[in-house]
Amino acid sequence: MTEELPPVWRIVRLLLFVFNLIFFVFGVIIVGLGGYALNKYGAVFALDDGKGWSSAPSLLIAIGVLIIIISFLGFLGSCLQNRLLLFIFGIVLCVMLILTLTATILGFKYKGRIESQLAAVMKESLMQYNTTSGVTNAWNELQSKWPKCCGVYNYTDWTDVNKTIPSSCCIDTAVPLLCAVPGNIQPDGCYNKTIGVITSHVPAAAGIATVVLIIELFGVIMAFGLARQIVGKGNYEVV
């Protein structure tokens, strides 16, 4: 009969089970958030006509799927007490830890640049209105459904690019011809409203990033620790 793990490492192994369960659930949540962002804020991502912003929700979904796969790998490694799987899990998790930390720091450092790029994308897309269906539909959805606005900063952005103010800018969409009347035009620009939504989610995003970093750090420590213990003690019987 093979030697069993010491009590303390049995606890670590159990904690690793719990960790991977939490990590799996987190991956599912990330996939859900990606789908929600695509459905709720799809118009914002569609403004660049597939050049970059539009891939953000899909990237979020891909990250969630990757997390699910990694959590399954860690679960197998701890369940089977396979040191190779545990080392691979620990290395991948360590890479994710570095990438998460880097992305968080860069996100806060270049927040202003990201906002400027969003404004530039919006301004550029004005010229494509009524010429590119994806951009046209995106602007109509932004202005009439969410977040209900007009132009980048205000309705004059449309006239600045020699465009007629779209009927989606109307407050009373039942009378689109009156969109030329300032009182029937959405007073707020879409840029400020979009930035307002993003800013309101920053504290939650920072909290989530912090929790993820802590979880990943503990996961790396437990994975490498359990793997090293197995190397030192030989092959253990699953208990």
Side-chain angles (χ1 to χ4, degrees):
M1 182 176 177
T2 55
E3 186 179 358
E4 294 183 349
L5 281 169
V8 65
W9 288 106
R10 293 187 201 175
I11 295 174
V12 171
R13 182 166 164 255
L14 178 61
L15 290 175
L16 201 54
F17 286 153
V18 176
F19 168 83
N20 282 294
L21 177 61
I22 294 174
F23 212 47
F24 174 83
V25 172
F26 180 73
V28 173
I29 292 174
I30 291 295
V31 171
L33 287 175
Y36 176 79
L38 191 61
N39 180 63
K40 179 71 174 179
Y41 309 120
V44 176
F45 297 110
L47 288 178
D48 68 343
D49 196 28
K51 295 176 184 175
W53 287 86
S54 58
S55 62
S58 298
L59 179 60
L60 201 60
I61 293 174
I63 292 174
V65 172
L66 179 62
I67 289 175
I68 292 173
I69 295 174
I70 293 173
S71 66
F72 183 69
L73 179 67
F75 176 79
L76 280 181
S78 57
C79 183
L80 300 176
Q81 294 183 164
N82 186 302
R83 57 179 178 268
L84 177 60
L85 288 178
L86 286 172
F87 272 124
I88 293 175
F89 172 71
I91 291 171
V92 173
L93 205 58
C94 190
V95 171
M96 285 193 65
L97 174 64
I98 295 172
L99 291 177
T100 302
L101 182 60
T102 302
T104 302
I105 293 174
L106 291 178
F108 281 100
K109 182 177 180 179
Y110 296 106
K111 178 177 176 289
R113 182 178 298 181
I114 294 173
E115 292 177 354
S116 297
Q117 288 179 346
L118 175 59
V121 167
M122 284 184 158
K123 289 179 180 178
E124 183 181 347
S125 66
L126 290 176
M127 299 295 296
Q128 300 175 43
Y129 189 82
N130 280 340
T131 59
T132 305
S133 60
V135 172
T136 302
N137 294 333
W139 269 112
N140 287 336
E141 184 174 342
L142 269 176
Q143 295 181 144
S144 63
K145 296 180 181 179
W146 180 92
K148 291 188 177 182
C149 49
C150 188
V152 180
Y153 298 107
N154 55 55
Y155 72 92
T156 60
D157 292 319
W158 290 109
T159 55
D160 289 343
V161 294
N162 299 317
K163 295 279 186 178
T164 302
I165 299 173
S167 60
S168 54
C169 277
C170 290
I171 295 175
D172 184 2
T173 55
V175 192
L177 293 178
L178 293 180
C179 260
V181 180
N184 193 41
I185 300 175
Q186 295 289 351
D188 299 315
C190 296
Y191 171 77
N192 289 330
K193 279 207 166 185
T194 302
I195 291 299
V197 171
I198 295 174
T199 302
S200 68
H201 286 79
V202 167
I208 292 173
T210 302
V211 171
V212 170
L213 286 170
I214 294 174
I215 291 176
E216 289 175 341
L217 179 60
F218 276 102
V220 169
I221 294 173
M222 288 188 292
F224 283 135
L226 186 58
R228 286 173 61 87
Q229 182 69 11
I230 291 174
V231 170
K233 294 293 186 179
N235 294 320
Y236 291 97
E237 180 180 57
V238 178
V239 294

